Amino acid sequence: MAQAINQALHQAMGADDRVVLLGEDVGRTGGVFRVTDGLQEAYGEARVVDTPVAESGIVGAAFGMAVAGLRPVVEIQFMGFTYPAYDQIVSHVGRIRNRSRHRFTAPMVIRFPYGGGIGAAEHHSESTEALYAHTPGVKVAVASGPRVAKGLLLAAIEDPDPVIVMEPIRLYRAIREEVPDGPTIVPLGVAEVVRPGSDVTVVAYGSMLRESLRAAEVLEGAGVSAEVIDLRTVSPLDADTVIASVERTGRAVVVAEGHRTAGMTAEIAALIGERALYSLLAPVERVSGLDTVVPLKRAEQYYVPDAARIAAAAARTMEA
Amino acid sequence: MAQAINQALHQAMGADDRVVLLGEDVGRTGGVFRVTDGLQEAYGEARVVDTPVAESGIVGAAFGMAVAGLRPVVEIQFMGFTYPAYDQIVSHVGRIRNRSRHRFTAPMVIRFPYGGGIGAAEHHSESTEALYAHTPGVKVAVASGPRVAKGLLLAAIEDPDPVIVMEPIRLYRAIREEVPDGPTIVPLGVAEVVRPGSDVTVVAYGSMLRESLRAAEVLEGAGVSAEVIDLRTVSPLDADTVIASVERTGRAVVVAEGHRTAGMTAEIAALIGERALYSLLAPVERVSGLDTVVPLKRAEQYYVPDAARIAAAAARTMEA
Amino acid sequence: MQPLQILHPDGTLAAAPPVGRDEARRLFAAMVHARVYDRKATAMQKQGRLATYAPFEGQEAAQIGSAAALRPDDWMVATYRDAAAMWMQGYLWEDLLLGRIGDERGGSPPEGVPVLPPSITVGAHMLHAVGLGWAERLRGEDRIAITYFGDGATSEGDFHEAMNFAAVFTVPVVFLCQNNQYAISMPVSRQTASATIAQKADAYGMPGVLVDGNDVFAVLAATAEAVARARAGEGPTLIEALTYRTGPHTTADDPGRYRSGDEAAAWRERDPIDRLRAHLRAEGAWDEAWEQGILDEAAAAIEAAVARAEALEVWHPREIVDGMYAEPTAPLLRQRDALLRDLGES
Amino acid sequence: MQPLQILHPDGTLAAAPPVGRDEARRLFAAMVHARVYDRKATAMQKQGRLATYAPFEGQEAAQIGSAAALRPDDWMVATYRDAAAMWMQGYLWEDLLLGRIGDERGGSPPEGVPVLPPSITVGAHMLHAVGLGWAERLRGEDRIAITYFGDGATSEGDFHEAMNFAAVFTVPVVFLCQNNQYAISMPVSRQTASATIAQKADAYGMPGVLVDGNDVFAVLAATAEAVARARAGEGPTLIEALTYRTGPHTTADDPGRYRSGDEAAAWRERDPIDRLRAHLRAEGAWDEAWEQGILDEAAAAIEAAVARAEALEVWHPREIVDGMYAEPTAPLLRQRDALLRDLGES
Ligand SMILES: Cc1ncc(C[n+]2csc(CCOP(=O)(O)OP(=O)(O)O)c2C)c(N)n1
Ligand SMILES: Cc1ncc(C[n+]2csc(CCOP(=O)(O)OP(=O)(O)O)c2C)c(N)n1
Ligand SMILES: [Mg+2]
Ligand SMILES: [Mg+2]
């Protein structure tokens, strides 16, 4: 997946010289996960900028660049280090268009690795996309694999509004997939039915898509046909695709590795209850992380949802 | 309500000299809303500290004080200015206990005015409690009037863990209510059935409680008996009280003035769907703010939910 | 550090002024004009026609003098208290008023005016100026950026990050701090333990300049130099303009709670308009009729601006979701429809 | 600014050392001991027994010298790279290892050890030290706080806010910056445009001291003075200790991508342990057997620590919610029950 993202950045920078990259260690070393490898050599230090260690500074300065007409793509080293920039994002990046009634805009991308699964140090396994989905004026895309990662990132760079693009850490090196060579777009705000099914709808995104597909296979073995949806963007959220599916299946499991309370599983479950209540044959099952800090390596597996927990939740909806 | 909070602070500071206040303009002027009026005179500049304009600094330093055994009570001038401190809250205040497996703790309070209704400038009408409810390790209480404000604040100061206490701006001067003179506690994590009813459950808190009670009166006029619950804390959320009520009424309206997506109405609606699905006679109605910036004065009324919208939502549940 | 001074408080010259007589008169007219606006806005707030308002009386020289050093296409990112500077750079009084009335359209200056809507949060906006200036440099343009902020804002982490980025990347930006001695109730001595704000520049390897902020010539000279440096690719400068807000922090504030009448009176002696008037009079470049003419013109212009701002109808609730994205998203459209239904407008 | 130096790189003295011979030997032993730990941890990471590890080789003098200036009850707030300093102040090797193994219990030093778990986020923790020191002052205690951070951390807004609060409120805190020349791949020259980090102190009205960070005597002397100032109620000090990390940023990093072998070799000539050894030898206070004894003792102690850390069983999933609050909340208890049900353990 890292390679697909790298390719997208190459294509975007090659095609449009308004695109500039900023981040900690993105240039000389090509980033902690080598996602920006080779870009500084190709496009120079002026366009691929190694910044001081200051996340608010990176986002705030990139915001100014975007207002001035550039297309900055910011890398924050890990999701846990986006928080010092939260004020810039919520108070300015997401607001300048409304504040100026379209006179000024901030077409920029903020991308970062997120989520658990590699036993990283504290702060390196965050999955708090709900926070950004709750933040007006930004869009939030979550990559679930190389093809989607590339397509979402290119869509984000083209978008006239600020877009956050989240990349599951554990997929950087884990997933191989055919990715179209050319510049492909995955539209923002459109979910994808990745695996059709008829008994239960599994709504997932990002790192949880693969687990959900694995769960679907397990379920198939047990005679349960699961439809798996990749949301691809959590804001705006494509409720129509989810609702249409649940209206057919009558059952739903919603999956996200972030914390539970006021997380994305809450929103999706609430939407289903709102718009498909009379189709529901069983309560919507939420499979999520806990309302705890993500545990360190030795106990992380108790926190991050996996295929087994998703399959078990689906099975419960079948029993109800 | 400002007076009740002031009284609580007086009592806490008088009873326990570990309690110190920090914030912008809290001392000499007694704060923008005069909530801390007279406290610096009473307890001195060392315990009622006018700080530089630096929210991360205030929270981060107070956190250190709490770890050292003091009981800091921080005021952030408006909720919109808590964001520069968000990293301190999510990465440290809410985590030190878990990070050190109880060796170090941060018993501290972060209180601030929130919400709309007075036509304030941008950033002065935020209601993003969902963000803090989604943040592990902190508790989040929301005052709905003088008595509850006092009781929650005193409970928060006594709590062994960090507590955020939110105070609706528009109630500072608007509500008069008998408040017990002595130090009364409103326990954290316990909702209150403020008005019993049998047809529909209205779940609210903070600024929306009064609107919900008004809606209940309107509904009563229309022959609908609404039960109104004041959550009082949104984290931890007292789901049992909500579920018990919905199991009786079969209908629910959940109200919050914050943004809709992944907001508190999502969590409460999801909980009801999860635990009371078979009792539901109608979809849960969510009455919330929009996924927009809170509009400025001239259009604010379109954003902030009011009694009419709550009553209309309840009526819809009756029709279903 | 001694503040740069060109005009003594009594209007006599300490050094040669940076501009000729006509330009000096133009500066005087602008300061008077701005003060008329400020007093009008304060009065309107008292009448309930504006929400809160943050008056800048006393700070006219700092704002007008610095803005006068700019080219019309230079970027400006300023605060709620910097209406005079913003107006100098092309923002309209009526748009400034609209914001204070509580209407988002006040955030939209005429197309081509390179001034962002006033920053309400303290601190964050300085980074925006850094980004704006940086973008121009990357494009090979010689537009620069200026950002205005107060003494209180220097305590925010974003001030530090902005200064550091600007210096590390040699960004063409001017940091113009109006040290008006207070951040709401907090005197600058409790904001920082350093003797001056200007000296903070050294921490970033950037020049820092202290100027008498009530001396329009000194402010103009210092800013012009900083602008020239920036435009020449030599990077940022921090300017500390020592000044005083004569009025309250905002119309909701009572300065009597935290500062003495003596202090305010002493600063009134250093009023920037009086000072320039004394100089112009001594030069034979001022007479009462001329000033009255400015006042009348300003009053008329501002009345017209008020009328235009107040005439604007509140937008229809249908428009509530229109500002968030280039196109409203599906969830927003649903929310709008629900709102219109609730309002009986669908 | 010339860095304070007491020991020349060749081990000769530039000035009188701040400690006698026994204490110098104790410092040497501690540095050697710490290096044994560092190499062991690096090796364990390569064997997959630790998650990532951030080696401190080359920085022993900066950490041991500064920590030696503390009283055992002084607070310490340090980073992922400061194991040597933390150990000097009472944190156990086994707890440091546990954290790296990926076990929260590593964040819990023995009761009474006034050292917070290592900070993984860059910047935020300096404010915690300010709060700790401030609290002691409010209580009338003379405990002080010290905080360790790198050159990169000085770019974060929280560095600025911490320095400013400490100076404004005369907090007894020592800011100990180990300028090891890099923040991951970024050289300090791209982190800040100021010539030194020490000079940043002036922006806060605080003394700033530059010391040769590979000179354990200089570091100790400078820190002792700063600690004395703090303890006497005279407020904070910023110390910049010039040093170098000999190894990679963490075990996941390849320094060959961003720095030259020559540079690393030049710094190796300034190795803090070699330098002190040369001095001790010249004084007749060192012999090979003695050093071998230290090495053996350290190896044994650290093997024992490793064994204890690795012997600790993973906690039961039941305990997953136990760390968040004094008592788990109702939602957490429900989540725990659901987890145990899913694990078939309920
Ligand atoms: C981030 C943030 N924190 C707090 C506030 C509240 N506030 C508004 S103005 C102000 C004081 C600012 O002082 P200064 O920077 O000196 O500017 P002045 O008002 O004196 O022009 C404060 C604390 C804010 N607007 N934004
Ligand atoms: C807030 C935050 N941003 C980014 C990171 C990622 N990161 C870890 S260490 C580091 C470099 C820190 O450099 P420095 O302060 O010089 O300390 P050193 O590692 O050299 O000891 C970075 C950027 C982080 N841990 N926290
Ligand atoms: Mg000020
Ligand atoms: Mg470093």
Side-chain angles (χ1 to χ4, degrees):
Chain A
M1 190 176 72
Q3 222 179 311
I5 301 169
N6 184 271
Q7 200 184 69
L9 291 171
H10 258 297
Q11 286 169 0
M13 294 195 79
D16 183 348
D17 59 17
R18 294 173 308 168
V19 178
V20 296
L21 306 193
L22 297 94
E24 294 159 13
D25 308 292
V26 295
R28 231 186 282 202
T29 59
V32 174
F33 294 103
R34 307 277 177 263
V35 168
T36 52
D37 215 17
L39 291 162
Q40 195 175 66
E41 283 94 318
Y43 302 102
E45 288 194 17
R47 286 184 64 200
V48 181
V49 184
D50 278 317
T51 66
V53 184
E55 292 74 17
S56 187
I58 298 170
V59 172
F63 168 80
M65 288 179 164
V67 171
L70 298 184
R71 296 265 166 166
V73 179
V74 158
E75 172 177 300
I76 300 293
Q77 215 156 57
F78 287 88
M79 185 168 205
F81 310 138
T82 65
Y83 305 135
Y86 186 63
D87 180 53
Q88 287 288 346
I89 297 171
V90 63
S91 300
H92 301 287
V93 172
R95 295 191 179 201
I96 186 66
R97 183 187 284 277
N98 186 63
R99 178 180 300 152
S100 70
R101 292 306 273 191
H102 302 278
R103 173 66 71 233
F104 301 107
T105 61
M108 62 189 282
V109 174
I110 304 175
R111 46 165 292 277
F112 46 80
Y114 88 95
I118 64 161
E122 199 191 338
H123 310 284
H124 290 69
S125 307
E126 303 287 299
S127 180
T128 47
E129 59 277 11
L131 205 133
Y132 292 107
H134 193 64
T135 301
V138 297
K139 299 178 179 176
V140 185
V142 192
S144 55
R147 179 183 56 84
V148 172
K150 182 178 175 183
L152 286 175
L153 181 52
L154 286 172
I157 294 172
E158 281 192 2
D159 201 85
D161 287 298
V163 183
I164 288 171
V165 180
M166 298 174 46
E167 302 160 3
I169 294 174
R170 61 166 119 175
L171 301 188
Y172 276 133
R173 312 252 159 257
I175 286 195
R176 311 214 155 269
E177 186 184 39
E178 269 315 307
V179 173
D181 266 349
T184 36
I185 291 284
V186 167
L188 304 178
V190 181
E192 183 183 5
V193 178
V194 176
R195 178 189 166 119
S198 54
D199 294 329
V200 54
T201 301
V202 181
V203 185
Y205 56 90
S207 60
M208 289 296 108
L209 180 68
R210 192 171 59 159
E211 298 301 323
S212 298
L213 289 170
R214 286 179 183 155
E217 287 187 20
V218 173
L219 289 165
E220 185 168 285
V224 175
S225 166
E227 174 147 309
V228 180
I229 294 177
D230 181 4
L231 281 181
R232 301 198 300 200
T233 38
V234 295
S235 171
L237 202 151
D238 178 3
D240 290 348
T241 298
V242 173
I243 299 302
S245 175
V246 177
E247 281 171 348
R248 271 189 290 103
T249 61
R251 298 179 180 88
V253 178
V254 296
V255 193
E257 70 169 290
H259 309 303
R260 190 176 193 84
T261 296
M264 289 315 301
T265 64
E267 178 59 34
I268 303 161
L271 281 170
I272 294 172
E274 209 161 60
R275 294 177 54 187
L277 181 71
Y278 301 114
S279 308
L280 281 181
L281 303 171
V284 176
E285 285 278 338
R286 295 161 72 183
V287 180
S288 72
L290 312 176
D291 287 337
T292 67
V293 179
V294 184
L296 299 180
K297 185 170 184 176
R298 294 183 97 191
E300 190 187 6
Q301 75 272 21
Y302 302 137
Y303 177 97
V304 183
D306 59 12
R309 279 169 64 191
I310 298 166
R316 281 193 298 274
T317 67
M318 298 304 297
E319 283 155 23
Chain B
M1 190 176 72
Q3 219 179 314
I5 301 168
N6 184 271
Q7 198 183 69
L9 291 171
H10 258 297
Q11 286 169 357
M13 295 195 78
D16 183 347
D17 59 18
R18 295 173 307 168
V19 177
V20 295
L21 306 193
L22 297 93
E24 295 159 12
D25 308 292
V26 295
R28 230 186 283 201
T29 59
V32 174
F33 293 103
R34 308 278 177 261
V35 168
T36 52
D37 214 18
L39 291 162
Q40 194 176 65
E41 282 93 320
Y43 302 103
E45 287 195 18
R47 286 182 65 199
V48 181
V49 184
D50 278 316
T51 67
V53 184
E55 293 75 15
S56 187
I58 298 170
V59 172
F63 168 80
M65 288 179 164
V67 171
L70 298 184
R71 296 264 165 166
V73 178
V74 158
E75 172 177 299
I76 300 293
Q77 213 155 59
F78 287 88
M79 186 171 202
F81 309 139
T82 65
Y83 305 136
Y86 186 63
D87 181 53
Q88 287 289 348
I89 297 171
V90 63
S91 300
H92 300 287
V93 173
R95 294 188 181 204
I96 187 66
R97 182 187 284 277
N98 186 62
R99 178 180 299 150
S100 70
R101 292 306 273 190
H102 303 277
R103 173 67 72 234
F104 301 107
T105 60
M108 61 190 282
V109 174
I110 304 176
R111 46 165 292 276
F112 45 81
Y114 88 96
I118 63 160
E122 199 191 337
H123 310 284
H124 290 69
S125 307
E126 303 286 299
S127 178
T128 48
E129 59 278 11
L131 205 134
Y132 292 107
H134 194 63
T135 300
V138 297
K139 299 177 180 176
V140 185
V142 192
S144 54
R147 180 184 55 85
V148 172
K150 180 178 176 183
L152 287 174
L153 181 53
L154 287 172
I157 294 172
E158 280 192 1
D159 201 84
D161 286 299
V163 183
I164 288 172
V165 180
M166 297 173 50
E167 301 159 3
I169 295 176
R170 61 167 120 174
L171 302 189
Y172 275 133
R173 310 252 161 257
I175 286 197
R176 312 216 153 265
E177 186 184 41
E178 269 313 309
V179 173
D181 266 348
T184 34
I185 292 285
V186 168
L188 303 178
V190 181
E192 183 183 4
V193 178
V194 175
R195 177 188 168 118
S198 54
D199 294 329
V200 54
T201 301
V202 181
V203 185
Y205 56 91
S207 60
M208 290 295 109
L209 180 67
R210 193 172 55 161
E211 296 302 321
S212 298
L213 290 169
R214 286 180 183 154
E217 287 186 19
V218 173
L219 289 164
E220 185 168 286
V224 174
S225 164
E227 173 146 312
V228 180
I229 294 177
D230 180 4
L231 281 180
R232 303 198 299 200
T233 38
V234 295
S235 172
L237 200 151
D238 179 3
D240 289 348
T241 298
V242 173
I243 299 303
S245 174
V246 176
E247 281 172 348
R248 271 189 288 103
T249 61
R251 298 179 180 85
V253 178
V254 297
V255 192
E257 70 170 290
H259 309 303
R260 189 174 194 86
T261 296
M264 289 315 302
T265 63
E267 179 59 34
I268 303 162
L271 282 170
I272 294 171
E274 212 162 60
R275 294 176 55 186
L277 182 72
Y278 301 115
S279 307
L280 281 181
L281 304 171
V284 176
E285 285 280 338
R286 293 161 75 184
V287 180
S288 71
L290 311 176
D291 288 337
T292 66
V293 179
V294 184
L296 299 180
K297 185 170 186 179
R298 292 183 97 191
E300 190 187 6
Q301 75 272 21
Y302 302 137
Y303 177 96
V304 182
D306 59 12
R309 280 169 65 191
I310 299 166
R316 282 193 297 276
T317 68
M318 298 304 296
E319 283 154 23
Chain C
M1 247 198 250
Q2 274 303 313
L4 175 69
Q5 203 175 59
I6 293 178
L7 261 185
H8 289 136
D10 64 4
T12 58
L13 287 171
V19 292
R21 179 187 155 123
D22 286 353
E23 179 65 10
R25 278 166 58 97
R26 201 178 74 86
L27 292 171
F28 182 82
M31 290 200 287
V32 169
H33 194 113
R35 186 164 290 181
V36 171
Y37 169 80
D38 193 55
R39 292 195 173 167
K40 174 70 187 179
T42 302
M44 285 176 72
Q45 199 285 332
K46 292 207 175 109
Q47 295 157 356
R49 292 158 73 192
L50 301 187
T52 53
Y53 177 72
F56 57 74
E57 180 161 336
Q59 303 183 206
E60 291 89 350
Q63 295 190 29
I64 301 285
S66 54
L70 303 175
R71 223 168 58 189
D73 64 343
D74 288 334
W75 289 102
M76 181 182 285
V77 191
T79 83
Y80 50 84
R81 201 185 302 287
D82 301 317
M86 294 172 68
W87 166 72
M88 279 287 280
Q89 193 65 353
Y91 218 95
L92 302 181
W93 290 134
E94 64 197 77
D95 290 331
L96 289 160
L97 285 167
L98 262 178
R100 299 299 94 218
I101 286 173
D103 191 310
E104 280 75 3
R105 288 167 292 187
S108 181
E111 186 155 7
V113 170
V115 183
L116 265 55
S119 177
I120 308 291
T121 65
V122 169
H125 69 287
M126 300 177 237
L127 277 160
H128 309 164
V130 172
L132 290 162
W134 194 348
E136 298 302 340
R137 213 183 64 120
L138 284 177
R139 282 200 286 238
E141 304 286 343
D142 69 349
R143 289 168 77 182
I144 68 116
I146 188 168
T147 180
Y148 291 78
F149 52 97
D151 41 300
T154 65
S155 293
E156 291 280 2
D158 277 358
F159 162 76
H160 175 71
E161 300 192 13
M163 294 282 289
N164 192 44
F165 271 63
V168 166
F169 296 107
T170 333
V171 175
V173 59
V174 177
F175 292 93
L176 199 298
C177 178
Q178 289 169 80
N179 177 354
N180 65 4
Q181 312 304 323
Y182 286 88
I184 309 186
S185 70
M186 288 295 289
V188 64
S189 61
R190 302 294 302 273
Q191 200 67 238
T192 174
S194 74
T196 68
I197 286 165
Q199 81 195 57
K200 293 178 188 286
D202 186 54
Y204 308 96
M206 180 194 301
V209 183
L210 187 66
V211 320
D212 180 335
N214 286 9
D215 172 348
V216 72
F217 289 158
V219 173
L220 173 55
T223 312
E225 197 179 319
V227 167
R229 280 193 75 236
R231 214 178 305 282
E234 290 161 27
T237 305
L238 169 64
I239 299 172
E240 174 182 4
L242 293 167
T243 182
Y244 198 75
R245 68 164 149 77
T246 309
H249 169 71
T250 65
T251 42
D253 173 55
D254 170 15
R257 292 178 79 102
Y258 55 82
R259 64 187 200 188
S260 72
D262 285 358
E263 180 187 283
W267 275 95
R268 233 175 258 277
E269 294 296 302
R270 304 166 53 106
D271 183 81
I273 294 180
D274 291 349
R275 196 187 297 198
L276 184 56
R277 184 189 299 108
H279 166 72
L280 290 175
R281 183 193 281 141
E283 301 277 305
W286 179 90
D287 65 53
E288 192 134 9
W290 176 63
E291 180 162 343
Q292 192 56 52
I294 299 168
L295 287 167
D296 293 345
E297 224 177 273
I302 287 160
E303 282 306 334
V306 170
R308 280 193 297 272
E310 293 191 328
L312 201 68
E313 269 185 53
V314 180
W315 23 274
H316 191 274
R318 193 186 315 110
E319 297 175 62
I320 195 167
V321 302
D322 288 355
M324 296 308 301
Y325 301 95
E327 297 294 335
T329 60
L332 281 173
L333 291 174
R334 284 186 75 91
Q335 291 169 30
R336 182 191 66 188
D337 290 347
L339 174 69
L340 294 176
R341 177 201 60 199
D342 284 354
L343 296 171
E345 302 238 11
S346 59
Chain D
M1 246 198 246
Q2 274 303 311
L4 175 69
Q5 203 176 59
I6 294 178
L7 261 185
H8 289 133
D10 65 4
T12 58
L13 288 171
V19 293
R21 178 187 156 126
D22 286 353
E23 179 64 9
R25 277 165 59 97
R26 201 178 74 88
L27 291 171
F28 182 81
M31 290 200 286
V32 169
H33 194 113
R35 185 164 292 180
V36 171
Y37 168 81
D38 193 55
R39 292 194 172 167
K40 174 72 185 180
T42 302
M44 285 176 72
Q45 199 284 333
K46 293 206 175 108
Q47 295 157 355
R49 292 156 73 192
L50 302 186
T52 53
Y53 177 71
F56 56 75
E57 181 160 336
Q59 302 182 208
E60 292 88 349
Q63 294 190 29
I64 301 286
S66 54
L70 302 175
R71 222 167 59 188
D73 64 343
D74 287 335
W75 289 103
M76 181 182 285
V77 192
T79 83
Y80 50 84
R81 201 185 303 290
D82 300 318
M86 293 172 68
W87 165 70
M88 280 287 281
Q89 194 64 353
Y91 217 97
L92 303 182
W93 290 131
E94 65 195 79
D95 290 331
L96 289 159
L97 284 167
L98 262 179
R100 299 298 95 220
I101 286 172
D103 190 311
E104 281 75 2
R105 287 166 294 187
S108 181
E111 187 157 2
V113 170
V115 184
L116 264 54
S119 177
I120 307 291
T121 65
V122 169
H125 69 289
M126 300 176 237
L127 278 162
H128 310 165
V130 172
L132 290 162
W134 194 348
E136 298 302 341
R137 211 184 65 122
L138 284 178
R139 282 200 287 240
E141 303 285 341
D142 70 348
R143 289 169 79 183
I144 66 117
I146 188 168
T147 181
Y148 291 77
F149 53 97
D151 41 302
T154 65
S155 294
E156 292 280 4
D158 277 357
F159 163 76
H160 175 72
E161 300 191 14
M163 294 281 289
N164 193 44
F165 270 63
V168 166
F169 297 106
T170 332
V171 175
V173 59
V174 177
F175 292 93
L176 199 296
C177 178
Q178 289 170 80
N179 176 354
N180 65 3
Q181 313 303 323
Y182 288 89
I184 309 186
S185 70
M186 287 295 289
V188 64
S189 61
R190 302 293 302 274
Q191 199 67 238
T192 174
S194 73
T196 67
I197 286 166
Q199 81 196 57
K200 294 179 188 286
D202 186 52
Y204 308 95
M206 179 194 302
V209 183
L210 186 66
V211 322
D212 180 336
N214 285 9
D215 173 347
V216 71
F217 290 159
V219 173
L220 173 55
T223 314
E225 197 179 319
V227 168
R229 278 193 77 235
R231 214 177 306 283
E234 290 160 27
T237 306
L238 170 65
I239 299 173
E240 174 183 6
L242 293 166
T243 182
Y244 196 76
R245 69 165 148 77
T246 309
H249 170 71
T250 66
T251 43
D253 172 57
D254 169 14
R257 293 177 79 102
Y258 54 83
R259 64 187 201 188
S260 73
D262 286 0
E263 181 188 283
W267 275 95
R268 231 174 261 278
E269 295 294 303
R270 305 168 52 108
D271 183 83
I273 294 182
D274 292 350
R275 194 188 295 199
L276 184 57
R277 184 189 298 110
H279 166 72
L280 291 174
R281 183 194 279 139
E283 301 276 303
W286 178 91
D287 66 54
E288 192 135 9
W290 176 63
E291 181 163 344
Q292 192 55 52
I294 299 167
L295 288 168
D296 294 344
E297 222 177 274
I302 288 159
E303 282 306 334
V306 170
R308 279 193 297 272
E310 293 191 327
L312 201 67
E313 270 183 57
V314 181
W315 24 274
H316 190 275
R318 193 187 312 111
E319 296 174 61
I320 196 167
V321 303
D322 287 355
M324 296 310 300
Y325 301 95
E327 297 294 335
T329 59
L332 281 172
L333 291 175
R334 285 185 74 90
Q335 291 169 30
R336 182 191 67 188
D337 291 346
L339 174 69
L340 295 176
R341 175 202 59 198
D342 284 354
L343 297 171
E345 302 238 12
S346 57

